[in-house]
Amino acid sequence: MIEIKNLHKSYKMGSNSLHVLKGINFSVEEGELVAIMGSSGSGKSTLLNILGMLDELDEGSYDLDGVPIKNLNETKAAQYRNKFLGFIFQSFNLINYKSAVENVALPLYYQKVGRKERHEKALKYLEQVGLKEWATHLPSELSGGQKQRVAIARAMAAEPKVLLADEPTGALDSKTSYEVMDLIQKINDAGNTILVVTHEPDIADMCKRIVHLKDGVIVEDKKIEQVRASQYV
Amino acid sequence: MFSRDNWQEIFETIQKNKLRTFLSGFTVAIGIFIFVVLFGFGNGLTNTFNKFFGDDATNVFFIFPGRTTVPYQGYKANRRIEFDNSDLADIKKDFPMFLEYITPRISRSGLVKYNNESNNYTTRAVAPSHQLNEKTIIMFGRYINESDIQEKSKIAVIGRLVGQDLFKDKNPIGEFIDISGSSFKVVGVFQDDGGDNEERTIYIPYTTRQLIEKNTDKIDQIVIGFKPEIGYTGAMAFQSSLEKFLRSKKYISPQDKNGIFVRNIADQLKQNQQLAVVLQWIVSLVAFGTIIAGIIGISNIMVFVVKERTKELGIRKALGATPKSVIGTILLESIFITTVSGFVGMMIGIGVLSSLGKSLDDYFITNPYINIGVAIFATIVLIVCGGIAGYVPARRASKIKPIVALRDE
């Protein structure tokens, strides 16, 4: 599903250049649940941003579902993001003046899905995350865990190939974190490919594979026995 | 870009961001409103000018005698100049190609009595053609005619308000009034657009006045109507040769400004119209300034709106919004708001102008109005500028990388 070869990325900081990713080789199969771990500054968010086409790579190659991701113009990148990727952010990034169901329907709007169908689909995904009764509520009326669940429903609504979660539990307490992870595990069980960036070991242990990043290189890549989040909920 | 779905998305955004919508809409509406009202006032001022100077005929000279200030051809300075009947005849004889009519005017003010009613009125002793230069309109009876002049008849044509004052509801025609001790028969009642003062005037034949004043042949002023077809330049030429002729006849130095005075209505009218045009220009300038201020206002708001929405636009881009759709969303929203509020501002402005109507007559603003075309043009200018003002920041926003926009807390 994801194929990355010899990926380099550096940022210009004035006259200095900061080499963040120093040759990453990494691939993800369909249906995997991968945790990308590392301390801050290890380059894990940069990797995720490149995977999410939110940032461009300097060197190397990146294939997503067999499509080479290189030199995309803005419009193409937007279309690919919409088709291939679903994002889950640490700070949820819901649009605050739109209700839960409207937020979930937004990626479908950019897929030019009709209004009625959009609404039905959005409701379906809200139901999957257990928030159907909250459909008409604004994000400001929801708790942190609920917001993240709406964001997950939104990421799923476009039926992407890969879900990318950047510290999805970073802003949540541990009980809510486990609830969110439980949801992510269930989505993964249904066959979706998910990448989770985290620095919390207990969250990483709930994935099926842990990739350890340090100073811009992968230092460890191992498959693990998944800890089910449902036992903590 | 113009699908129903797009519009629905925009309407939702507008509905849910009421303050923002109100601010941008208000700026545009107030800009157009002030423009329309100011422009209307400018037109109102022009109307006032036209009304003030449109009452009398415009092809008229008034010639007044004065006192000389320069000794000339053996005559001392400070000599009083007087006109008499021979001057009328000479002008008539010498300037037939310019002259349409000529009439003397001898104004006296005095007590006028009818039965127990009495009041002070101005009496003008004139020739029949005086009716033309004042545009006097006869309501009842008749004006002074040539046989009145020949026979020096003691008849009077009274103003509408004179009739009202002295006769109340009674028909004044055929009645006799007493003007400064002489009895005159009322033969006509007139009205005049020049205002109340004009309608508190009495006209009598000038020969009758001269007879009363010890059979003199002196006249106060000469009023000359020239042929309109000679035009403005012809009128100016006529004026200067007429002045030259009278100066030589009355032995007044060509350098003496005070010997005689000629008031040329055409010249005055032209100056007044120029003043009105300048006023209209100033008002228009202020009005366009308002439009510019409106454009700057809407530009600022658009920059603010885009800034405020940076994060939202980042989210939308992460979810798959193309740069084109980002620009489209912002642009259509701004154009929609400016169009609606511009139209509202324009309609309110026009409404205010038409409701003012006559209420500002005292402030020299008559019948303020704005040409619909001008109002629509100004509105469109503002909409287009609002669009451009929205496009520039929207384009910049569409180019922001979503990652940067999302980091923007």
Side-chain angles (χ1 to χ4, degrees), chain B residues 164-403:
Chain B
Q164 232 171 55
D165 291 350
L166 296 181
F167 293 93
K168 310 295 175 210
D169 297 330
K170 208 173 157 195
N171 180 9
I173 305 289
E175 298 296 318
F176 286 88
I177 52 173
D178 178 297
I179 302 173
S180 308
S182 310
S183 182
F184 285 77
K185 185 182 180 188
V186 177
V187 295
V189 179
F190 71 89
Q191 64 180 45
D192 195 301
D193 290 339
D196 289 1
N197 268 343
E198 285 294 330
E199 294 187 337
R200 287 215 158 84
T201 304
I202 298 170
Y203 290 114
I204 58 171
Y206 74 97
T207 46
T208 316
R209 171 60 72 195
Q210 286 172 332
L211 182 67
I212 291 169
E213 293 184 350
K214 300 177 184 122
N215 209 4
T216 173
D217 65 347
K218 301 282 182 260
I219 52 184
D220 282 0
Q221 295 170 34
I222 300 172
V223 181
I224 289 173
F226 58 84
K227 289 176 175 158
E229 58 267 27
I230 66 171
Y232 179 72
T233 31
M236 297 315 283
F238 180 29
Q239 182 187 343
S240 75
S241 52
L242 187 68
E243 226 171 298
K244 204 186 264 172
F245 167 77
L246 285 173
R247 277 176 196 281
S248 82
K249 187 176 174 194
K250 301 286 178 189
Y251 310 108
I252 306 165
S253 158
Q255 279 78 44
D256 192 349
K257 293 260 178 277
N258 294 322
I260 52 170
F261 304 95
V262 178
R263 191 163 70 112
N264 184 344
I265 297 280
D267 195 29
Q268 242 180 10
L269 185 80
K270 194 163 173 163
Q271 280 173 13
N272 284 323
Q273 273 171 344
Q274 274 166 346
L275 183 63
V277 167
V278 168
L279 267 175
Q280 174 82 56
W281 267 103
I282 292 171
V283 171
S284 304
L285 213 65
V286 174
F288 274 109
T290 322
I291 290 281
I292 301 281
I295 290 170
I296 292 170
I298 185 80
S299 309
N300 278 331
I301 287 168
M302 287 317 294
V303 170
F304 162 74
V305 162
V306 170
K307 181 84 195 138
E308 190 207 41
R309 293 180 76 175
T310 303
K311 190 165 183 204
E312 180 202 329
L313 297 173
I315 298 171
R316 282 174 185 268
K317 288 189 80 178
L319 296 179
T322 57
K324 215 171 106 185
S325 83
V326 169
I327 295 177
T329 310
I330 296 176
L331 215 55
L332 281 188
E333 190 185 315
S334 95
I335 288 175
F336 179 77
I337 294 173
T338 40
T339 307
V340 170
S341 49
F343 187 72
V344 168
M346 186 183 96
M347 290 323 269
I348 295 177
I350 290 172
V352 164
L353 282 186
S354 55
S355 74
L356 283 175
K358 284 187 176 296
S359 60
L360 287 178
D361 279 5
D362 290 346
Y363 303 100
F364 304 109
I365 292 165
T366 313
N367 185 26
Y369 76 101
I370 185 166
N371 189 321
I372 280 283
V374 173
I376 289 176
F377 176 73
T379 312
I380 288 174
V381 165
L382 203 57
I383 291 167
V384 169
C385 290
I388 294 169
Y391 178 77
V392 175
R395 214 172 99 87
R396 209 182 316 141
S398 79
K399 282 186 169 166
I400 298 176
K401 290 189 173 163
I403 179 81

Side-chain angles (χ1 to χ4, degrees), chain A residues 26-39:
Chain A
F26 171 62
S27 64
V28 179
E29 299 302 316
E30 192 166 355
E32 274 197 289
L33 175 53
V34 184
I36 298 170
M37 282 200 74
S39 53

Side-chain angles (χ1 to χ4, degrees), chain A residues 8 52 57 74 91 100 116 136 171 194 200 231:
Chain A
H8 285 266
L57 52 84
E74 282 268 5
S91 51
K116 222 177 149 189
T136 56
I194 305 175
E200 294 167 76
Q231 59 189 306

Side-chain angles (χ1 to χ4, degrees), chain A residues 153-166:
Chain A
R154 183 178 66 183
M156 306 237 320
E159 288 165 1
K161 306 273 185 206
V162 180
L163 282 183
L164 298 173
D166 186 7

